[in-house]
Amino acid sequence: MDLKSRVQNKLLAELDPSMDPSQTQEVRATIEELFNTILAEENIVLSRSEKRHLFDQIVAEILGFGPLEPLLEDETITEIMVNGPKNVFVERKGKIHRAEVTFENDDHVMRIIDRIVSPLGRRIDESSPLVDARLPDGSRVNAVIPPISLVGPVLTIRKFSKTPLTIEDLINYGTLTPELVEFLRACVIARLNIIVSGGTGSGKTTLLNILSGFIPNDERIITIENAAELQLRQEHVVTLESRPPNIEGKGEITIRDLVVNSLRMRPDRIVVGECRSGEALDMLQAMNTGHDGSLTTLHSNSPRDTLARLEVMCLMSGMELPVRAIREQIASAVDLIVHQERMRDGSRKVVKVTEVQGMEGNTITLSDIFEFEQTGIEAGKVIGRLRPTGLRPKFIDKIEAVGIHLPPSTFGIGVRY
């Protein structure tokens, strides 16, 4: 047994199990005292840096999340992926790299997973080998263990940004342009219903957070999420979070339950973190019955695909509705689709901003207002710009009705490229 495990096991045997781990400073002082005693008893001689390193590792195991601690502390990392004990990967700037850290064995990974899920009243074992959870800082966690996973326990952590990205950050990264920001701000203030669509990891929640920030401060906002990630700064925000079933399979509260309930809470705005299933129909009905200015995100590959996904989700609600009726609901409820993509160089960009114009026959008509034009690749980076198509949206009168007048140049009218 290596030195760390030996000292750690001895420490755990001597620590008072009734200690409150949330009192970190006190517990840390107690561990330090015992740690020094054990090193003296065992005649273990270490340099000051070795001793500090060993102590930090042991504290991370007892109080924190073991080998994950340095990765959680590193603010440049956005995602942590543990594929069994020896294969740990991280995402930085949209690119995946192998991490330096490893776990001792499967049991070591399992201990850390248990430490994450048990304080939340969740469990993970052979009978329920999948679990979604959240770290104390808000980071999203998914764990999958054998027999479902064939490579040992797998842990995926989507890190929660302590300082959410600002509009300036997104403009600097090339995700948005100042013109688009002004247009989207006007759309939110004018209470248009907006869907942010895109693939996994394309930055949908970040953009939803930015758009939600444009909602006026005097409105009552209800946010509904699977794992609370939105960080709204307004005064009047009610945050609701869905809940999985308990060990007996009871007590589940779905996003759909929350959307239906939110309508009884006198919302000015409903912001749904992500539409995945039957709640899409309730969301559309809310948008169509006076709850304008609603916002949500949805996984899709293009604005047209977003509408197809919405149709499928409405069918998943169990309501026997003809497709034509669903399309009419979508066409009258949704005003704007903002579509994001993660580019080949790892950067995230808004690639299309599309107005939903209405129905023609059985088809929903769309009109692109902005689109990303890629001009090339330089030094591995995607080069291009998001530019207006020269079309003015039909809903411009709604924007003007709230006293916002966007210059024609916003839409590329009278501008030569």
Side-chain angles (χ1 to χ4, degrees), residues 137-201:
D137 71 353
S139 297
R140 246 176 24 201
V141 179
N142 173 270
V144 186
I145 63 166
I148 303 294
S149 161
L150 305 183
V151 296
V154 173
L155 188 61
T156 313
I157 301 174
R158 167 75 61 86
K159 281 178 64 181
F160 187 72
S161 174
K162 292 177 182 61
T163 50
L165 291 174
T166 63
I167 299 161
E168 290 70 29
D169 291 332
L170 294 190
I171 291 172
N172 291 339
Y173 294 152
T175 303
L176 303 165
T177 61
E179 295 77 21
L180 179 60
V181 169
E182 285 315 304
F183 172 68
L184 293 176
R185 189 196 306 272
C187 291
V188 172
I189 293 169
R191 304 182 68 87
L192 297 178
N193 294 317
I194 302 172
I195 294 177
V196 178
S197 61
T200 304

Side-chain angles (χ1 to χ4, degrees), residues 97-365:
H97 310 273
R98 182 181 279 275
E100 303 286 302
V101 303
T102 57
F103 291 78
E104 290 156 27
N105 49 34
D106 283 1
D107 288 343
H108 189 190
V109 186
M110 282 303 298
R111 271 205 314 277
I112 300 302
I113 293 174
D114 276 330
R115 180 154 310 137
I116 292 168
V117 302
S118 49
L120 302 170
R122 310 271 167 87
R123 67 164 193 186
I124 187 161
D125 53 32
E126 279 202 17
S127 63
S128 57
L130 307 169
V131 73
D132 282 309
R134 204 168 76 231
L135 294 179
D137 71 353
S139 297
R140 246 176 24 201
V141 179
N142 173 270
V144 186
I145 63 166
I148 303 294
S149 161
L150 305 183
V151 296
V154 173
L155 188 61
T156 313
I157 301 174
R158 167 75 61 86
K159 281 178 64 181
F160 187 72
S161 174
K162 292 177 182 61
T163 50
L165 291 174
T166 63
I167 299 161
E168 290 70 29
D169 291 332
L170 294 190
I171 291 172
N172 291 339
Y173 294 152
T175 303
L176 303 165
T177 61
E179 295 77 21
L180 179 60
V181 169
E182 285 315 304
F183 172 68
L184 293 176
R185 189 196 306 272
C187 291
V188 172
I189 293 169
R191 304 182 68 87
L192 297 178
N193 294 317
I194 302 172
I195 294 177
V196 178
S197 61
T200 304
S202 60
K204 296 187 295 297
T205 305
T206 301
L207 185 56
L208 183 65
N209 209 38
I210 296 277
L211 294 180
S212 305
F214 298 146
I215 298 173
N217 206 28
D218 59 355
E219 296 190 22
R220 176 170 165 83
I221 307 164
I222 313 277
T223 72
I224 298 169
E225 298 174 85
N226 269 322
E229 283 184 278
L230 295 171
Q231 295 163 282
L232 271 63
R233 298 274 181 261
Q234 289 90 332
E235 282 177 21
H236 199 154
V237 179
V238 178
T239 307
L240 305 178
E241 192 176 58
S242 64
R243 186 177 74 184
N246 64 11
I247 291 162
E248 287 83 43
K250 295 190 174 72
E252 181 180 18
I253 306 286
T254 64
I255 293 280
R256 187 166 192 193
D257 298 330
L258 295 176
V259 170
V260 171
N261 188 74
S262 72
L263 300 177
R264 304 180 192 127
M265 296 172 72
R266 200 228 162 268
D268 284 313
R269 306 273 187 157
I270 301 167
V271 180
V272 177
E274 187 186 336
C275 271
R276 294 183 184 180
S277 187
E279 67 272 3
L281 183 61
D282 301 286
M283 183 87 184
L284 289 176
Q285 286 178 326
M287 289 170 170
N288 272 329
T289 52
H291 296 90
D292 298 335
S294 298
L295 303 166
T296 188
T297 75
L298 188 149
H299 274 90
S300 77
N301 298 323
S302 68
R304 176 64 64 190
D305 185 38
T306 301
L307 301 181
R309 294 277 334 265
L310 265 177
E311 260 181 54
V312 170
M313 287 176 194
C314 289
L315 294 168
M316 287 163 79
S317 71
M319 299 273 282
E320 305 254 330
L321 291 171
V323 169
R324 166 91 196 186
I326 293 173
R327 283 185 189 164
E328 281 173 353
Q329 283 274 325
I330 293 169
S332 62
V334 181
D335 295 302
L336 193 68
I337 298 168
V338 183
H339 189 74
Q340 289 214 169
E341 279 180 18
R342 181 158 60 169
M343 313 302 271
R344 280 166 54 192
D345 62 357
S347 65
R348 295 159 171 90
K349 295 188 190 299
V350 170
V351 292
K352 272 197 180 180
V353 178
T354 303
E355 179 186 18
V356 179
Q357 290 194 322
M359 295 277 289
E360 262 182 31
N362 279 330
T363 308
I364 299 172
T365 53

